[in-house]
Amino acid sequence: MTPRLTTLVIVGLVALVGSAPLWATPYHITLMIPAMAYGIALLGLNLLFGYAGLLSFGHAMFVGIGAYTTAVFTSKLGIRSFELVLVASAVAAALFAIPIGLLTVRYVRIFFGMLTLAFGMLFHSFLFKFYHLTGGDSGMRVVRPTLLGQDTQELDKIAFLTGPFFLYVLALLVILGLVMLRIVHSPFGLHLKALRENARKAEYLGVTVRRFRLAAFVISAIYCSIGGVILAVPTGIADPELAYWTHSGNLIFMTLLGGFTNFFGPILGAFSFILLQDQLMSATQYWRFFLGVVLALIVILFPRGLMGILESLMARFSRGRS
Amino acid sequence: MDLGRRKAIKTIGTAGVVAATLPILGFPAIAQNRPLRVGIIAPKAGIAGTIGECGLQGTLFAVEKINAAGGIAGRMVELVIEEETNPKDSIERLRKLVLQDKVDCVQGIVSSGVSLAMGPAAEEMKALTIYWDGTTQDGVDETMAKPRYVFRSTDNECEAVMASLLVVKHWKGKFKTIAGINPDYSYGRNNWAAFQALLKKFGIEFTVVAEQWPKVGTLDLTSHVAALKAAKPDMIFSSLLFADLPVFMRTAHSAGLMEGTRFAFPAAGFQHTALKKEFTPEGMIFGHNTLYFDHPQANALQKEFVAYYHNKTKDYPHWEADRAYFAMQAYKAGVEKAQKAKNAWPSIEEIAAAMEGVKVDSLGGPGRMREDHIAEQTFYQGITTHKNKYDFPTLGVVDTMYSDQLQKPPGANFWKWIETAQIKL
């Protein structure tokens, strides 16, 4: 596909999603909110995984940081500005990510994965055990935030979610998507790709490997925390399960499902996962089994994920036409 | 500018919801001619899977009886069943049931974490919701102070209060050192704290020699059992209740922990048929709570249900079936009361208001829904015996208490209530 056609398709898809209140049911609109939240989180995770070649098993921790920052701000401090919460969660995620990143990016492959898993589990244990601070297993309440300074209490929850909040989150996805697009096509993004392919060679060429990996780690943490902020609002709670290692597994599943080799793969993965899980959960109590089968099939047959399948179909179509 | 922005947001919200609800708008008369749809959210897998399945049988039994007798206020009942998992996904299931499946009422929920998270969500969605279980003290006041649409089960701590009272009644003066092994979440922590508070209230001097907090679902409890054995307590209090309880019992039996130690298990009824005689001794205080399947004076309804359950599952039911039956019958009573008062089909608000104070003859005995939306029910606990026809222990001595003796009155604080309540042994 030409860049111009790609742009047209993306604009068309954004317009389609943005017009969802006109054609989708309220339930399906509310389903798109976590899909977009995960889309943002996965854009960050894939900077680390797809571009820098580091697979984290602990990024649910940053989703949890986003959710708990929202809870602390809205229900404990009484600060309900969504914009302030977004900034605060990004700062909190960065403050956690810098020391953790300094320790973890010294390692690669399974060692990096295990270290991130360990830090994720430490954070989960903190949330679970320090219940006087965090609410333990009961979590912390998230109060509805204001958007652009406007209080929406006059709307009921569904009207709030399917109206202003939905459009706000879509705008966030677009803005953060454009920022990430700029990042991956900048010299920084190219350096990440170079060190992913051959870190030693990149170092010889002047790439300061650890500093670049650390920067990718921090950016990915910020994206995940913003995803966590968005996830916490519809459910109205920040609970420790958001930071549990199985949630990190879900993030990786979504990335693989959509395809980590394509920039838009993780967003497609997030939407597909939410839809697939929703349908399977209603259809059968063995939905986890079927999700496992899908993951196995994707890894074995389509390692480039759904986006890879689409790319192959497009290439075949182009060859057929020529 | 400010007004313009406010108006724009309001318009977007209104336009969004109007546009999105257009396809589902229908005529009230048509809506009333369709069956009443009840959404069920219950665990189907994992350590609480069997609990959810047992509850579901209670619901199915209630629906079969209701439909055979002509339905609820003339409308048949149909079920839409969804799985309870973590708080986030369970709230999404609630949203699906309300927005997509258009259910008239939601029932279910076993986990405390899910119930506390779902309460505010259900209130905000104006979804009439009746919990089977999961009503611990933590967070209830904060998240569901005065619910309008949500109805809760009896306080989870009722089980611990009754077991503690039985410990005082049967074993006062027979132990000095105690230990606890309780699940590491609000339910386990509250039960252990309530147990100690009640011992103090009744003037029992004791020393805590060990506290073990396994995470829910831990299936290797060797180190916990070793720690308990090393502490040599006279009595052990445990609120283990999921698939980890039979594992604990086997491990404790193998380690010789059972010899010379008294046990109180306020919530063991959830696993009663998995606790085989070969590793579960007699003489333990054992909570069957709102349904004791083998009660010698059981009413005809309970006998019918136990036979129904045994025919379907080759097993014997526990109290979650009773909670589910109670929830369905409380809803039926509320709908019919509101319909009779209005002489037309009532709104959700009218049904919720009518449910306050309704009395229900549940599987385990009489119960009612209090005005503060918390259930009152009949509880059964006692001391285990092997003298029965089963391969698991039953109760040799059965104690019965109504929950008004076991839970705080409306508006009270649980911990202050323990200190001041006039409780009869």
Side-chain angles (χ1 to χ4, degrees):
Chain A
M1 243 186 345
T2 61
R4 192 169 176 175
L5 187 58
T6 307
T7 309
L8 276 176
V9 169
I10 299 302
V11 170
L13 285 174
V14 170
L16 185 70
V17 174
S19 64
L22 298 172
W23 52 266
T25 63
Y27 174 63
H28 287 109
I29 298 168
T30 60
L31 263 191
M32 284 189 224
I33 294 170
M36 291 191 284
Y38 281 122
I40 291 169
L42 296 186
L43 280 174
L45 186 67
N46 205 39
L47 180 72
L48 199 62
F49 178 38
Y51 291 87
L54 295 171
L55 180 55
S56 166
F57 288 112
H59 261 52
M61 168 173 59
F62 299 110
V63 176
I65 286 170
Y68 276 85
T69 305
T70 316
V72 169
F73 265 63
T74 59
S75 66
K76 300 288 177 195
L77 302 178
I79 300 170
R80 290 175 47 221
S81 163
F82 196 61
E83 294 74 35
L84 274 180
V85 171
L86 287 171
V87 171
S89 74
V91 171
L95 287 176
F96 273 84
I98 290 169
I100 293 171
L102 280 169
L103 284 167
T104 54
V105 299
R106 295 153 62 94
Y107 304 91
V108 290
R109 299 192 189 94
I110 190 68
F111 305 103
F112 174 80
M114 288 298 105
L115 266 177
T116 49
L117 175 67
F119 280 108
M121 288 308 291
L122 273 175
F123 184 69
H124 175 264
S125 297
F126 165 74
L127 296 177
F128 201 82
K129 289 281 188 183
F130 287 73
Y131 45 86
H132 294 302
L133 275 175
T134 63
D137 58 294
S138 306
M140 286 173 80
R141 181 101 194 270
V142 172
V143 176
R144 189 193 297 187
T146 60
L147 302 176
L148 301 171
Q150 301 303 307
D151 202 345
T152 55
Q153 294 296 335
E154 67 266 32
L155 299 175
D156 71 36
K157 182 80 180 254
I158 298 303
F160 166 72
L161 291 178
T162 56
F165 192 69
F166 171 78
L167 294 176
Y168 195 111
V169 173
L170 177 62
L172 267 181
L173 175 64
V174 171
I175 292 165
L176 291 171
L178 288 172
V179 171
M180 186 56 78
L181 200 61
R182 181 78 190 89
I183 289 172
V184 299
H185 287 105
S186 69
F188 170 74
L190 297 175
H191 281 133
L192 286 182
K193 280 189 206 171
L195 64 88
R196 177 194 66 195
E197 295 304 323
N198 191 331
R200 184 162 288 181
K201 202 170 181 177
E203 207 161 12
Y204 279 133
L205 294 171
V207 180
T208 43
V209 174
R210 282 187 196 165
R211 195 186 299 171
F212 276 85
R213 281 182 179 153
L214 177 65
F217 190 85
V218 174
I219 294 168
S220 70
I222 290 171
Y223 270 66
C224 283
S225 78
I226 289 173
V229 172
I230 299 167
L231 282 176
V233 174
T235 52
I237 195 159
D239 78 280
E241 291 292 310
L242 287 172
Y244 201 46
W245 69 270
T246 51
H247 199 213
S248 290
N250 278 356
L251 296 178
I252 295 167
F253 184 170
M254 290 181 225
T255 311
L256 292 174
L257 181 64
F260 65 95
T261 56
N262 186 292
F263 179 82
F264 298 103
I267 299 174
L268 179 64
F271 275 80
S272 309
F273 179 85
I274 294 288
L275 191 67
L276 187 66
Q277 188 182 13
D278 175 63
Q279 294 299 314
L280 285 175
M281 275 183 88
S282 294
T284 170
Q285 70 184 93
Y286 305 109
W287 58 275
R288 292 177 186 83
F289 170 79
F290 288 105
L291 276 181
V293 169
V294 169
L295 179 61
L297 288 176
I298 287 286
V299 172
I300 295 166
L301 300 177
F302 310 106
R304 286 162 57 226
L306 295 174
M307 216 63 197
I309 297 172
L310 277 179
E311 283 172 343
S312 301
L313 288 174
M314 293 292 290
R316 195 172 292 178
F317 179 68
S318 302
R319 276 201 302 272
R321 281 182 67 186
S322 63
Chain B
M1 175 69 185
D2 196 40
L3 268 175
R5 227 170 24 179
R6 183 193 294 270
K7 199 174 171 186
I9 283 183
K10 204 171 170 182
T11 310
I12 288 166
T14 312
V17 84
V18 167
T21 48
L22 274 176
I24 59 165
L25 289 176
F27 297 103
I30 293 171
Q32 285 165 31
N33 287 337
R34 69 171 174 81
L36 268 178
R37 301 190 104 186
V38 177
I40 304 290
I41 305 179
K44 293 184 191 173
I47 53 156
T50 56
I51 316 298
E53 286 298 329
C54 184
L56 197 55
Q57 292 302 326
T59 299
L60 292 172
F61 179 70
V63 170
E64 282 178 26
K65 283 187 91 66
I66 288 168
N67 284 345
I72 295 177
R75 288 170 69 183
M76 295 292 118
V77 178
E78 66 177 34
L79 300 174
V80 185
I81 300 165
E82 292 289 345
E83 183 172 347
E84 176 186 346
T85 51
N86 57 47
K88 182 181 85 61
D89 289 345
S90 299
I91 288 172
E92 279 167 16
R93 295 294 94 192
L94 170 76
R95 210 174 277 136
K96 175 185 174 283
L97 286 172
V98 175
L99 297 177
Q100 189 78 353
D101 300 315
K102 317 279 187 298
V103 298
D104 300 279
C105 173
V106 177
Q107 298 174 17
I109 305 302
V110 171
S111 154
S112 309
V114 174
S115 75
L116 291 173
M118 193 176 280
E123 284 288 319
E124 284 181 314
M125 292 169 71
K126 298 177 181 171
L128 186 60
T129 305
I130 311 169
Y131 289 161
W132 291 352
D133 220 317
T135 306
T136 53
Q137 302 302 313
D138 288 18
V140 166
D141 292 339
E142 186 194 341
T143 59
M144 287 185 283
K146 285 180 183 167
R148 190 174 177 195
Y149 299 93
V150 175
F151 291 82
R152 289 173 271 170
S153 64
T154 52
D155 286 354
N156 280 165
E157 289 80 4
C158 284
E159 297 139 32
V161 171
M162 184 163 181
S164 307
L165 296 177
L166 295 192
V167 166
V168 175
K169 180 181 169 184
H170 294 295
W171 296 340
K172 189 173 184 179
K174 295 179 180 171
F175 64 91
K176 286 187 176 169
T177 55
I178 64 168
I181 175 162
N182 294 283
D184 189 11
Y185 71 118
S186 51
Y187 174 72
R189 284 194 299 273
N190 287 351
N191 277 6
W192 177 234
F195 172 60
Q196 293 178 73
L198 281 158
L199 292 186
K200 281 179 192 159
K201 182 183 176 75
F202 285 94
I204 294 179
E205 288 183 12
F206 61 92
T207 307
V208 178
V209 291
E211 286 184 355
Q212 293 294 308
W213 300 103
K215 186 170 162 48
V216 176
T218 304
L219 295 181
D220 179 5
L221 295 161
T222 315
S223 60
H224 298 283
V225 169
L228 291 174
K229 191 165 166 55
K232 295 181 183 164
D234 298 328
M235 210 224 99
I236 292 175
F237 178 93
S238 174
S239 308
L240 293 177
L241 73 168
F242 293 121
D244 39 15
L245 176 57
V247 174
F248 169 75
M249 208 68 91
R250 277 179 188 276
T251 313
H253 178 77
S254 304
L257 184 63
M258 304 295 189
E259 291 145 26
T261 309
R262 297 174 193 277
F263 283 89
F265 289 98
F270 264 175
Q271 304 294 333
H272 63 140
T273 59
L275 298 170
K276 304 301 182 192
K277 284 176 180 170
E278 62 203 66
F279 56 85
T280 309
E282 294 183 292
M284 301 188 313
I285 288 173
F286 196 102
H288 279 279
N289 302 320
T290 58
L291 177 67
Y292 174 43
F293 80 100
D294 199 33
H295 198 296
Q297 283 91 44
N299 60 35
L301 180 69
Q302 175 175 324
K303 284 178 182 163
E304 183 188 348
F305 174 68
V306 171
Y308 166 94
Y309 189 91
H310 189 65
N311 281 340
K312 284 181 85 173
T313 65
K314 306 297 172 220
D315 201 356
Y316 296 98
H318 53 68
W319 82 77
E320 206 63 19
D322 168 76
R323 301 293 176 87
Y325 183 89
F326 177 87
M328 189 63 78
Q329 292 294 353
Y331 176 62
K332 177 179 185 287
V335 171
E336 292 181 344
K337 185 177 155 191
Q339 203 260 356
K340 198 174 172 186
K342 192 180 181 185
N343 205 22
W345 194 260
S347 66
I348 285 178
E349 288 76 14
E350 287 163 341
I351 294 169
M355 279 177 65
E356 294 173 2
V358 292
K359 290 183 177 173
V360 171
D361 279 324
S362 194
L363 300 174
R368 68 183 280 267
M369 188 60 80
R370 288 192 335 199
E371 283 67 19
D372 64 345
H373 293 203
I374 293 179
E376 293 278 22
Q377 289 204 257
T378 312
F379 277 69
Y380 306 94
Q381 296 193 0
I383 296 184
T384 53
T385 179
H386 283 182
K387 296 183 186 75
N388 60 42
K389 60 181 179 182
Y390 311 106
D391 63 347
F392 54 89
T394 51
L395 299 184
V397 178
V398 185
D399 284 277
T400 305
M401 291 182 85
Y402 195 59
S403 59
D404 60 354
Q405 288 289 301
L406 303 172
Q407 66 180 343
K408 63 187 187 298
N413 172 277
F414 176 69
W415 304 107
K416 282 185 183 154
W417 170 77
I418 285 186
E419 285 173 17
T420 56
Q422 300 293 316
I423 302 173
K424 294 175 204 159
L425 285 175

